[in-house]
Coordinates of all heavy atoms in Angstrom, one line a residue:
D1303 N 65.4 70.2 138.6 CA 66.2 70.6 139.7 C 65.8 69.9 141.0 O 66.0 70.5 142.1 CB 66.2 72.1 139.9 CG 67.4 72.6 140.7 OD1 68.5 71.9 140.6 OD2 67.3 73.6 141.3
Q1304 N 65.3 68.7 141.0 CA 64.9 68.0 142.2 C 66.1 67.2 142.8 O 66.0 66.8 143.9 CB 63.7 67.1 141.9 CG 62.4 67.8 141.7 CD 61.3 66.8 141.5 OE1 61.4 65.7 141.2 NE2 60.1 67.4 141.7
T1305 N 67.0 66.9 141.9 CA 68.2 66.0 142.4 C 69.4 66.4 141.5 O 69.3 67.4 140.8 CB 67.8 64.5 142.2 OG1 68.9 63.7 142.7 CG2 67.6 64.2 140.8
G1306 N 70.5 65.7 141.7 CA 71.7 65.9 140.9 C 71.5 65.4 139.5 O 70.4 65.1 139.0
G1307 N 72.6 65.1 138.9 CA 72.6 64.7 137.5 C 72.5 63.2 137.3 O 72.1 62.5 138.2
S1308 N 72.7 62.8 136.1 CA 72.6 61.4 135.7 C 73.6 60.5 136.6 O 74.7 60.9 136.9 CB 73.0 61.2 134.3 OG 73.3 59.8 133.9
A1309 N 73.1 59.3 137.0 CA 73.9 58.4 137.7 C 75.1 58.0 136.9 O 76.2 57.5 137.4 CB 73.1 57.2 138.1
D1310 N 75.1 58.2 135.5 CA 76.2 57.9 134.7 C 77.2 59.0 134.5 O 78.1 59.0 133.7 CB 75.7 57.5 133.3 CG 75.0 56.1 133.3 OD1 75.0 55.4 134.3 OD2 74.4 55.8 132.2
A1311 N 77.0 60.1 135.3 CA 77.9 61.2 135.2 C 79.3 61.0 135.9 O 80.1 61.9 135.9 CB 77.3 62.4 135.8
I1312 N 79.5 59.8 136.5 CA 80.7 59.5 137.3 C 81.2 58.2 136.9 O 80.5 57.2 136.6 CB 80.4 59.6 138.8 CG1 81.7 59.2 139.6 CG2 79.3 58.8 139.2 CD1 81.5 59.4 141.1
A1313 N 82.5 58.0 136.8 CA 83.2 56.8 136.6 C 84.5 56.7 137.3 O 85.1 57.8 137.6 CB 83.4 56.5 135.1
V1314 N 85.0 55.5 137.6 CA 86.3 55.4 138.2 C 87.1 54.3 137.3 O 86.6 53.3 136.9 CB 86.2 54.9 139.6 CG1 87.6 54.5 140.2 CG2 85.6 55.9 140.5
D1315 N 88.4 54.6 137.0 CA 89.2 53.7 136.3 C 89.9 52.7 137.2 O 89.8 52.8 138.4 CB 90.1 54.4 135.3 CG 91.2 55.2 136.1 OD1 91.5 55.0 137.3 OD2 91.8 56.1 135.4
A1316 N 90.7 51.8 136.6 CA 91.3 50.8 137.4 C 92.4 51.3 138.4 O 92.7 50.6 139.3 CB 92.0 49.8 136.4
A1317 N 92.9 52.5 138.1 CA 93.9 53.1 139.0 C 93.2 53.9 140.1 O 93.9 54.5 141.0 CB 94.8 54.0 138.2
G1318 N 91.9 54.0 140.2 CA 91.2 54.7 141.2 C 91.1 56.2 140.9 O 90.7 57.0 141.8
N1319 N 91.2 56.6 139.6 CA 91.0 58.0 139.3 C 89.5 58.2 139.0 O 88.8 57.3 138.4 CB 91.7 58.3 138.0 CG 93.2 58.2 138.2 OD1 93.8 58.9 139.0 ND2 93.9 57.3 137.4
L1320 N 89.0 59.3 139.5 CA 87.6 59.7 139.3 C 87.4 60.6 138.1 O 88.2 61.5 137.9 CB 87.2 60.4 140.6 CG 85.9 61.2 140.6 CD1 84.7 60.3 140.5 CD2 85.8 62.1 141.8

Side-chain angles (χ1 to χ4, degrees):
D1303 200 30
Q1304 290 182 340
T1305 184
S1308 164
D1310 290 354
I1312 177 176
V1314 172
D1315 66 19
N1319 297 300
L1320 165 70

